[in-house]
Amino acid sequence: MFTFIVTCYNQADVIPYMLESIKYQIEKFGQGQEFQLIVTDDGSRDDSCLVISRWIQENQNLFAKTDKLFREENAGICVNYVDALRRVEGERFVAVNGDDLLAPFNLFEITAKLDDHDMICTAFLKFTDRGSIIRSYGTYLEVVLQHFIRGKTLYRAIKLGFPIMGTAVCRKSLLTESVLDFILQFRTVNDRACFQKILDENKNIRICYVNRPIILYRISATSISNFNSPTRVLHNQEVARLCRIEREKEKSPVFRLLLRLQERSAAFRTSPRYAVRLLRFFSPYFAIMFWLYIRHYGAIRNMERRLVDGHQKECRIHYGKMEARIGSRSDS
């Protein structure tokens, strides 16, 4: 059984896009498989729960099992994320936010690579509220860097808070109770905490990168990827805390210093002063990025172009199709 996890908070207007993109994946690529849908709502104050319940009722035939985990009070993404992970019944799953979309490409073809790997790092494209794909190649540097961060560099990068693996899919068996308990120490950094702990427990993990978008990320005023988002300050504080946790158990004096510098860099990101925020670029994180960029410049630029130019048109059309589906449901 394949499981879709959707996390939601005050997203009544946009969560139908995500749900319809799940339906698209099942109808186009999911023949012969069974599916589980887990939707969590973190105490929304809008009509999110009503919208979700209505959609599930209309599309119940798509799923062998559905779980609605609706909270009355807001608890943070990490609590909802862990609650959902504990309900996953199959070995393969994907976890997505309610304001995003699954891309129009075969998700199950990518997750099939888990037969030979423990984790598949995937790409994403970003889009605005109006459905326009962000086409700036540099926006996706951290995405394609996943192809080049391997071995000891991978473990060091994760400890330094690299925002890679955000869209990775992994085996459920990697989600031990210690991993889930570690995630529960935070409110916003569910994916970073998850993968940091997984790599801490699995030194010989088998990873590959697929330069194809699995998710379309919506950039809005409230999304955490927006620098001015109200939750961004807490997010950066928790990134700093992740660095501090690693620093306290690190044996190497040199790497302890690097973790200390990275912890300070995360603090700089929360400053209201632009000049202070610029100091974040003087950090081990950006030093490693710059080193990899110079070392693999040609390959990185080619991968960025292939990612954007090769997929943005189809993703833009896909967004329009999901918009049309939602419009037709509203009319009926």
Side-chain angles (χ1 to χ4, degrees), residues 145-314:
L145 279 179
Q146 294 177 104
H147 178 71
F148 302 96
I149 299 177
R150 289 291 179 268
K152 290 183 179 180
T153 304
L154 173 66
Y155 291 94
R156 296 300 195 191
I158 293 298
K159 288 183 177 183
L160 286 168
F162 264 50
I164 60 176
M165 297 183 171
T167 58
V169 291
C170 66
R171 299 173 183 268
K172 183 194 172 187
S173 55
L174 293 174
L175 300 174
T176 62
E177 280 301 311
S178 58
V179 169
L180 300 181
D181 289 341
F182 185 71
I183 299 170
L184 288 174
Q185 297 180 38
F186 305 90
R187 280 186 64 91
T188 68
V189 291
N190 56 305
D191 49 359
R192 293 193 191 215
C194 178
F195 295 123
Q196 180 169 311
K197 188 64 174 177
I198 285 176
L199 266 70
D200 191 47
E201 293 186 351
N202 299 272
K203 301 302 182 185
N204 297 310
I205 195 167
R206 299 168 299 167
I207 297 176
C208 75
Y209 170 68
V210 177
N211 197 35
R212 184 193 312 166
I214 185 176
I215 290 176
L216 306 182
Y217 275 135
R218 185 184 301 270
I219 304 302
S220 65
T222 58
S223 62
I224 202 166
S225 53
N226 187 322
F227 196 87
N228 296 313
S229 168
T231 58
R232 190 68 181 184
V233 172
L234 175 60
H235 181 77
N236 283 317
Q237 290 173 344
E238 293 195 328
V239 170
R241 187 178 163 206
L242 284 169
C243 292
R244 186 161 59 253
I245 289 171
E246 290 297 331
R247 177 168 58 85
E248 290 172 351
K249 64 182 181 181
E250 178 60 45
K251 296 181 179 180
S252 166
V254 174
F255 200 68
R256 280 204 304 270
L257 175 61
L258 293 177
L259 284 164
R260 176 61 177 168
L261 292 173
Q262 191 61 47
E263 183 183 339
R264 292 300 303 154
S265 173
F268 292 147
R269 291 170 178 261
T270 66
S271 174
R273 298 171 57 190
Y274 178 73
V276 175
R277 291 204 302 269
L278 287 177
L279 293 175
R280 72 188 187 276
F281 293 108
F282 298 93
S283 68
Y285 164 83
F286 281 101
I288 293 176
M289 282 184 60
F290 182 72
W291 171 69
L292 289 170
Y293 184 70
I294 296 301
R295 184 180 180 186
H296 304 287
Y297 174 79
I300 287 172
R301 294 297 289 170
N302 286 334
M303 291 180 70
E304 288 173 339
R305 285 191 289 269
R306 288 200 302 271
L307 174 61
V308 177
D309 296 343
H311 302 104
Q312 61 89 19
K313 181 179 179 180
E314 193 166 351

Side-chain angles (χ1 to χ4, degrees), residues 14 43 48 51 89-90 109 111 115 160 195 276 285 290 309 319:
V14 294
S48 293
V51 171
E89 296 198 355
E109 182 180 73
T111 56
D115 288 342
L160 286 168
F195 295 123
V276 175
Y285 164 83
F290 182 72
D309 296 343
Y319 181 92

Side-chain angles (χ1 to χ4, degrees), residues 2-9 11 15 17-23 25 36-41 77 80-81 84-85 93-103 107 122-124 166-169 190-191 213-217:
F2 187 95
T3 302
F4 295 94
I5 296 174
V6 183
T7 58
C8 175
Y9 179 64
Q11 294 165 340
I15 197 168
Y17 288 82
M18 171 52 75
L19 296 172
E20 286 296 321
S21 71
I22 290 175
K23 182 177 180 179
Q25 284 286 325
Q36 177 187 16
L37 175 65
I38 303 173
V39 186
T40 74
D41 181 85
I77 180 63
N80 291 273
Y81 184 63
L85 292 178
F93 68 95
V94 62
V96 289
N97 296 324
D99 58 342
D100 300 324
L101 284 81
L102 289 174
L107 169 65
T122 63
F124 59 80
T167 58
V169 291
N190 56 305
D191 49 359
I214 185 176
I215 290 176
L216 306 182
Y217 275 135

